[in-house]
């Protein structure tokens, strides 16, 4: 911009303004310094990365063990299981399926897990497989409501797994202390394991078609693995072996 000032005049003018205290060059557009200052943008801070607070580690198996040990009766055990919050299956289940039959029975049957009917009724083995189980045992004069030869029935898992899937090893491990306590409180003479899941839980082995009919010992008791009645419904030819297993159980009970 042409000012008409000589170099010396312009320099002198500038020095005079500096002497007066001017600290900024005059801008193209005027600035009203009396206006409220615009909000200063917040200085961008380097984001502080929050150190995650470590959630205390929980061990569901240990919690189950302690809860089960504190139960001194079957009612207390059932209440302890109902209060156990670490098994996800509980969230999807309608009912806790604890047991059915006579707790003083000499024979305790351990199944896998409730299905749809058991979930609705809150009792083990009440669906089609359960009807077959009742028919099988009534052939050797045993039954859950049989006064002379009663049965006591439970499952490894007290809650129905979604879509009747097999319980996971973690789910089984966390419910195992409850099953062990259940057996200890009921004090049966003999355990019958119905299918692979209770064999895995109690014997640590699977392969029911090989294990069935062979007596072994676990948790201080004689144990008889048998094919699950649901399997017998699908494979009726296997009923012949199931009959042999029932006779073997009867003979053992007659001692
Ligand atoms: N199958 C099982 O193993 N348990 C039940 O209670 C019902 C079906």
């Amino acid at each position: 911009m042409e000012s008409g000032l000589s170099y010396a005049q312009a320099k002198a003018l500038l020095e005079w303004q500096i002497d007066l205290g001017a600290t900024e060059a005059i801008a193209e557009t005027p600035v009203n310094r009396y206006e409220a200052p615009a909000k200063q943008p917040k200085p961008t801070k380097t984001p502080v990365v929050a150190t995650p607070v470590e959630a205390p580690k929980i061990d569901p198996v240990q919690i189950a063990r302690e809860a089960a040990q504190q139960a001194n009766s079957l009612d207390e055990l059932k209440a302890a299981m109902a209060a156990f919050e670490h098994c996800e299956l509980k969230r999807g289940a309608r009912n806790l399926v604890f047991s059915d039959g006579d707790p003083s029975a000499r024979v305790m049957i351990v199944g896998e897990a409730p299905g749809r009917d058991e979930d609705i009724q809150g009792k083990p083995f009440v669906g089609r497989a359960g009807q077959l189980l009742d028919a099988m045992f009534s052939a050797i004069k045993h039954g859950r409501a049989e006064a002379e030869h009663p049965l006591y029935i439970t499952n490894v898992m007290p809650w129905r797994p979604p879509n009747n899937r097999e319980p996971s090893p973690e789910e089984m491990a966390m419910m195992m202390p409850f099953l062990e306590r259940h057996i200890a409180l009921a004090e049966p003479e003999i355990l019958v394991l119905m299918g692979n899941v209770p064999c895995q839980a109690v014997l640590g082995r699977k392969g029911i078609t090989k294990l069935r009919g062979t007596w072994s010992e676990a948790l201080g008791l004689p144990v008889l693995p048998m094919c699950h009645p649901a399997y017998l419904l699908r494979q009726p030819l296997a009923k012949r072996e199931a009959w042999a297993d029932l006779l073997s159980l009867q003979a053992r009970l007659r001692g």
Side-chain angles (χ1 to χ4, degrees):
M1 201 192 351
E2 238 1 282
S3 69
L5 298 174
S6 68
Y7 172 80
Q9 284 173 321
K11 187 167 177 273
L13 207 51
L14 196 56
E15 282 167 352
W16 176 67
Q17 285 184 19
I18 289 167
D19 285 344
L20 289 178
T23 54
E24 279 184 312
I26 296 167
E28 295 279 330
T29 48
V31 177
N32 185 351
R33 302 284 177 194
Y34 295 101
E35 259 176 18
K39 267 197 171 172
Q40 295 288 317
K42 276 193 179 160
T44 49
K45 280 193 202 149
T46 324
V48 180
V49 181
T51 333
V53 181
E54 280 238 343
K57 284 218 167 62
I58 54 161
D59 177 355
V61 179
Q62 183 56 26
I63 293 170
R65 218 174 271 143
E66 283 164 18
Q69 277 314 314
Q70 280 166 22
N72 291 314
S73 67
L74 292 173
D75 283 345
E76 282 182 21
L77 184 68
K78 186 176 176 183
M81 287 165 77
F84 184 69
E85 296 295 343
H86 304 281
C87 181
E88 279 303 307
L89 298 183
K90 183 180 179 184
R91 321 241 173 276
R94 281 178 235 207
N95 278 302
L96 170 97
V97 175
F98 183 67
S99 70
D100 196 21
D102 183 346
S104 69
R106 296 173 70 194
V107 180
M108 182 166 178
I109 297 174
V110 183
E112 175 179 326
R116 184 178 170 276
D117 296 310
E118 290 77 18
D119 183 41
I120 291 169
Q121 293 189 39
K123 283 186 183 177
F125 283 104
V126 291
R128 272 188 75 218
Q131 286 159 19
L132 177 56
L133 179 129
D134 286 340
M136 286 161 62
F137 280 85
S138 87
I140 57 162
K141 310 266 181 302
H142 277 68
R144 35 187 127 191
E146 189 68 52
E148 231 177 287
H149 304 293
L151 291 174
Y152 188 52
I153 308 176
T154 191
N155 283 310
V156 173
M157 303 304 298
W159 295 290
R160 182 192 184 195
N163 302 318
N164 297 338
R165 68 156 168 78
E166 243 190 43
S168 69
E170 292 75 22
E171 288 162 348
M172 281 163 66
M174 71 176 81
M175 297 318 289
M176 197 52 201
F178 292 112
L179 178 63
E180 286 184 18
R181 189 72 184 140
H182 201 158
I183 294 165
L185 290 167
E187 294 185 285
E189 280 176 38
I190 288 172
L191 277 185
V192 175
L193 305 178
M194 283 296 175
N196 267 324
V197 168
C199 284
Q200 180 67 54
V202 174
L203 303 175
R205 277 188 292 159
K206 269 181 155 179
I208 190 64
T209 49
K210 292 235 170 70
L211 292 172
R212 60 137 287 275
T214 304
W215 288 90
S216 61
E217 214 183 282
L219 308 174
L221 292 171
V223 171
L224 178 66
M226 285 183 67
C227 284
H228 194 285
Y231 173 80
L232 301 178
L233 286 171
R234 294 192 302 272
Q235 305 285 338
L237 286 181
K239 285 184 185 171
R240 182 207 293 254
E241 293 161 349
W243 177 237
D245 299 344
L246 288 168
L247 292 179
S248 169
L249 173 66
Q250 190 178 47
R252 185 102 182 195
L253 286 163
R254 284 178 178 163

